[in-house]
Amino acid sequence: MDSLLDALQEGRLLEIPDDYDKEDALRFLAHILEAVPSLPPDTDVAGLILAKEGASKTALGKGWACPDARVPFDEDLICVVGWSPRGIDYGSPDGKAVKVIAMYLVPENQRSNYLREVSLLAKALEIYPEIERLNAADSLNDIRDHLLDLISTTKGTVGPDSRARMIRLQGKVAAVEPAPYDLANLIVEPITIIVGTGLKTVVLGHDHALVELLEGLPGLSDEVTTHSSFNTGGWRIVKRKEASFTGERLLVDCLALRTQGGK
């Protein structure tokens, strides 16, 4: 299960906010995949994920789901893992809330590798003796450790290089508690945008340069009200939720994503 191991090693294990439902969680993880620099900029991973989920359910049971987006180009098989401490009502066959979502981007040249990996994962979930402890974990470090143990249950099918990587990763993560959005090469900034008729658009956030960039962007109001995401100044702005208030004012909750050192 090299792609799952890559996700752990490269920081693509994220905590899903408690107030997210199934669609929110899927969009959140899909937008992380969309920020991978090697992907074509117009790749609508979120749309592909939600369309696939509408056609066939991706819950595996035992608190797990494995949604995937098939894309018509050659690339690496990429996985991002979301952990929900509260659990998500996902419509699982066993009725259990989903705690772990392993989402895959499946390029044309990786379909057989993807099927093999998911098959191995399903087998590992059946034989993993600590599945209840995994579902009861209360930190990203605990989840990461359990996922490494889960991968090791397939040690008969992984090579020595993968086992060595697991040993290195176990030693590395034991020393530090990661931040909630601890990504190797991705910066994630939560922002709030307030728009309204006759109202100057207001952007609230912690990154001063990002706030100035967005408040100086012509047509920002139209962008956030008519699109689920857009790009500007090296950032990808992703709309998560919106709420309407009196005076035709709209509060839009967004994520701003860019790669480290991106322009």
Side-chain angles (χ1 to χ4, degrees):
M1 292 188 287
D2 283 344
S3 296
L4 182 58
L5 184 56
D6 285 342
L8 302 180
Q9 190 170 39
E10 296 170 9
R12 293 193 300 274
L13 170 63
L14 303 97
E15 183 173 336
I16 298 171
D18 281 345
D19 61 341
Y20 276 21
D21 60 17
K22 176 182 175 180
E23 183 171 331
D24 292 332
L26 293 177
R27 286 188 181 277
F28 174 62
L29 296 175
H31 289 314
I32 298 300
L33 287 176
E34 289 173 354
V36 172
S38 58
L39 259 62
D42 59 347
T43 305
D44 182 13
V45 179
L48 292 170
I49 288 288
L50 293 175
K52 177 75 176 291
E53 192 65 33
S56 60
K57 304 305 178 186
T58 58
L60 299 181
K62 298 184 181 294
W64 276 67
C66 282
D68 66 278
R70 308 292 178 98
V71 289
F73 50 77
D74 290 351
E75 181 55 81
D76 292 332
L77 181 63
I78 304 174
C79 177
V80 60
V81 184
W83 168 59
S84 171
R86 179 178 59 86
I88 296 171
D89 182 3
Y90 205 97
S92 301
D94 59 4
K96 290 187 176 181
V98 163
K99 292 292 192 73
V100 179
I101 301 176
M103 180 179 288
Y104 288 85
L105 183 77
V106 187
E108 188 72 35
N109 61 321
Q110 296 291 340
R111 297 195 176 187
S112 60
N113 289 336
Y114 163 72
L115 293 174
R116 178 176 180 272
E117 175 147 339
V118 172
S119 176
L120 286 173
L121 177 57
K123 291 177 182 177
L125 290 174
E126 288 297 326
I127 64 176
Y128 184 52
E130 302 290 342
I131 191 68
E132 294 303 325
R133 290 184 61 188
L134 186 156
N135 288 332
D138 59 4
S139 74
L140 280 179
N141 256 356
D142 285 345
I143 285 292
R144 191 179 274 104
D145 288 343
H146 278 298
L147 292 179
L148 288 169
D149 286 343
L150 177 71
I151 294 170
S152 74
T153 64
T154 63
K155 58 182 178 293
T157 56
V158 299
D161 181 60
S162 292
R163 288 195 290 272
R165 288 167 59 209
M166 283 189 282
I167 292 170
R168 291 197 301 271
L169 183 54
Q170 282 173 320
K172 180 179 179 181
V173 301
V176 60
E177 177 72 23
Y181 299 118
D182 181 22
L183 298 174
N185 295 302
L186 192 66
I187 297 172
V188 181
E189 288 285 343
I191 56 172
T192 300
I193 303 175
I194 304 172
V195 299
T197 303
L199 178 71
K200 182 179 184 290
T201 300
V202 175
V203 180
L204 305 177
H206 297 292
D207 186 309
H208 181 69
L210 173 61
V211 170
E212 284 195 336
L213 170 69
L214 291 175
E215 288 190 336
L217 180 65
L220 175 61
S221 175
D222 290 338
E223 289 284 3
V224 297
T225 54
T226 59
H227 299 96
S228 61
S229 65
F230 63 93
N231 298 321
T232 182
W235 292 90
R236 183 178 183 86
I237 311 301
V238 176
K239 183 164 62 176
R240 298 195 292 182
K241 290 186 176 181
E242 61 183 47
S244 299
F245 294 89
T246 56
E248 297 184 351
R249 297 183 179 185
L250 193 67
L251 186 149
V252 186
D253 177 27
C254 300
L255 286 179
L257 312 171
R258 73 175 173 88
T259 54
Q260 185 73 40
K263 299 295 185 180

